[in-house]
Amino acid sequence: MTDVIDGKKVAEEIKNEIAREVDLLKKKHDKQPGLAVVLVGEDPASQVYVRMKGRDCEQVGIESFQYTLPEETTQEELLKLVKELNGRDDVDGILVQLPLPAHINESLILNTLDPKKDVDGFHPVNVGKLVTGDEDTFYPCTPYGCQELINRHVSDLKGKHLVIVGRSNIVGKPMANLMVQKNQRANCIVTICHTAAPDISYYTRQADILVVAAGRPEVVSGEMVKEGVVVIDVGINRIDDPVNEGKKKLIGDVRYEDVAEKASAITPVPGGVGPMTRVMLLKNTLKAFKQHNNIA
Ligand code: NAP
């Protein structure tokens, strides 16, 4: 029997825990965590993500400050805002929604964030700490959410072969760095494969745990995995719905039906990794708030 990993349910549980903790902290310290989300431009997907982040914050008692700036915003104007947010006492976490318009240097903006407020975990200081295993950092939300799902489904990870398809800075690489660490939540043998592999199935077939973040619909099929694998499908692909003409539907990077036949556990799309990414941002914001206010 394949276990369908319900990311929505797990995210809801974590959200409730966060809401309870925020409520207690508010009562005790008369303060609440604050998250600033900065969006530049009118990208519709980014607008939806930013709205959802605002709603998530509201649901757990985190104050959300949303900055929606026009596409023509200059790099200097954005830098000025980031610096102002760095200095604000009521802002514990800052998230600059990516991608930024082409005229703005993304890494310059990310490098300007105060690493202690970088709840997305993309600042080089936080990336470095992730690599060296220093836990005084923020883990990027998507791999962090994947790790949480893996931890809830595999009891002993020591020596398990975890294969990742994709080497992006936001998913593939941080996923590898998280899962290779020598601790109970990780300790895996990690392989990353990408487009330079002549045949990724050589690697995917060896996986005890397979994380797929390629951004290509159904790039992993049933014959590319072994029996009993645990599959985490990060991909979100919007395709024409073959059943409802004119409508779109979301599918993952894994061909769900035939991979599920062999997997011991698998995340669905939607309802797997997506909700986990959102809730890990709240978790990171709460961590930033506690550090900022010296709360153990
Ligand atoms: P990305 O920056 O486009 O990176 C994709 C990676 O996959 C690249 O390293 C690429 O290799 C590799 N790749 C692409 N096609 C491949 C193939 N056929 N065989 C082997 N490797 C292949 O994408 P991303 O930002 O990591 O996102 C990946 C997917 O996850 C997207 O669908 C995105 O929408 C989704 N996503 C979901 C969440 C969530 O919360 N659920 C969060 C973030 C991303 P090269 O480096 O060689 O080009």
Side-chain angles (χ1 to χ4, degrees), residues 8 14 23 83 107 118 130 137 142 144 159 172 238 241 244 275:
K8 211 167 152 196
I14 298 174
D23 190 47
K83 287 176 187 164
S107 45
D118 167 40
L130 167 62
T137 184
T142 300
Y144 193 13
R238 194 174 292 275
D241 188 339
N244 298 303

Side-chain angles (χ1 to χ4, degrees), residues 142 166-168 170-171 194-195 200 213-216 219 234-236 274 277:
T142 300
R167 57 173 159 189
S168 73
I170 63 165
V171 189
H194 41 73
T195 58
I200 58 165
R216 300 281 179 278
V219 75
V234 183
I236 303 177
T277 298

